[in-house]
Amino acid sequence: MSTPRRLSLTKPTPPEKMFVSLEQQLANVRRWNEEREWGLLQGELAAVDLTPREHDDPLVVDLVAVYLDSTRQLDGVRRTCHELWRLATEQQPHAWSFDWEWDEWKENPKPVRLLDGIEHRPGVRRVTVDLGAHWEPGRHIRPRNVRSTRSAHAEVLAAAAHFPDWVRAMDGRSVPYIWLSGYHLTIPERSDHRLPGLAWVRYRRTMSLTANWADHSGSGWASPVLVA
């Protein structure tokens, strides 16, 4: 499956220096692994490929992503989502999530599952993510129409944790807001119709993780995909 074509000539240039190096990302993961007791093995961490690569598109980025094992409380998909969101919130002045009530009061956070056909494989891996996939300024798209087994999920939250400046640059014009199309939400019931969306609310200086409808169209939004 080819990478979605995007009309770069119609897009404003995004800010520079939104992303950090793979070396810095791996240092982040080593620190988080120790602080949050993820259980990632040192051999896994040492095996991550840190060779720099050039990409023609400024929104295509190499990423050190983590995928966690299950615990008694949460399966691996939900645990990964919960942990990475928490780390991302620590990098921002304010944050809000659609599941705050479930998280804070019911101790049952991040009601998500993966899109059918996407496999959760615990570990740490270098991946390449197109954070602007399917986005064309001014064009309305529906998440349902662009979802696939290459749709990003935990990788977007890893990017938010590693790249706080990228989140703060989101404006829907030079840097799109993000649908996490590799996830389905499972509240209020198991459904294929809802998915998370990540956005920066500028006037509140808040990073928001919202519950969006897969059938509703919007402009200024991307549906990131894994390209490697």
Side-chain angles (χ1 to χ4, degrees):
M1 184 175 179
S2 61
T3 302
R5 290 190 62 188
R6 304 211 304 279
L7 304 177
S8 58
L9 293 178
T10 67
K11 298 176 181 178
T13 303
E16 296 182 357
K17 299 181 180 179
M18 293 190 297
F19 306 123
V20 301
S21 68
L22 288 164
E23 288 84 357
Q24 181 59 57
Q25 293 178 54
L26 184 58
N28 290 342
V29 171
R30 288 185 184 277
R31 183 177 71 256
W32 297 335
N33 184 49
E34 181 176 347
E35 292 174 351
R36 306 183 78 86
E37 299 181 343
W38 284 348
L40 297 172
L41 301 178
Q42 293 305 311
E44 290 182 277
L45 296 168
V48 175
D49 179 10
L50 302 180
T51 306
R53 297 176 190 158
E54 294 293 329
H55 302 290
D56 293 334
D57 191 308
L59 292 175
V60 174
V61 64
D62 295 317
L63 179 72
V64 179
V66 298
Y67 309 87
L68 302 177
D69 281 317
S70 300
T71 64
R72 290 182 180 180
Q73 292 77 28
L74 295 173
D75 64 40
V77 172
R78 293 180 62 194
R79 181 189 176 206
T80 301
C81 183
H82 175 65
E83 287 284 311
L84 292 176
W85 171 250
R86 283 294 178 91
L87 285 169
T89 67
E90 293 174 5
Q91 320 308 316
Q92 302 297 348
H94 307 286
W96 182 88
S97 177
F98 69 91
D99 71 327
W100 67 271
E101 181 180 356
W102 281 58
D103 189 359
E104 300 296 330
W105 294 356
K106 300 181 181 180
E107 298 183 352
N108 192 20
K110 297 300 171 286
V112 298
R113 65 179 178 89
L114 294 179
L115 191 72
D116 292 344
I118 299 178
E119 179 185 3
H120 179 77
R121 293 186 295 117
V124 55
R125 294 186 287 281
R126 174 199 176 136
V127 298
T128 302
V129 185
D130 185 349
L131 294 172
H134 302 290
W135 167 59
E136 295 178 19
R139 174 175 172 261
H140 284 65
I141 62 170
R142 289 180 171 82
R144 180 181 295 280
N145 293 341
V146 297
R147 282 175 141 178
S148 76
T149 56
R150 293 172 54 229
S151 293
H153 44 94
E155 300 85 10
V156 172
L157 297 175
H162 285 306
F163 312 138
D165 289 341
W166 163 66
V167 175
R168 290 192 289 269
M170 290 181 185
D171 58 5
R173 295 184 297 274
S174 63
V175 179
Y177 309 116
I178 298 299
W179 285 312
L180 285 73
S181 294
Y183 282 133
H184 288 304
L185 300 188
T186 59
I187 57 172
E189 68 248 346
R190 182 181 176 92
S191 170
D192 294 345
H193 301 298
R194 306 200 80 177
L195 75 165
L198 182 68
W200 177 252
V201 182
R202 192 168 299 274
Y203 73 95
R204 291 181 176 174
R205 301 186 68 240
T206 297
M207 178 179 66
S208 293
L209 191 67
T210 56
N212 293 20
W213 291 101
D215 284 325
H216 286 187
S217 66
S219 64
W221 290 77
S223 180
V225 299
L226 298 177
V227 296

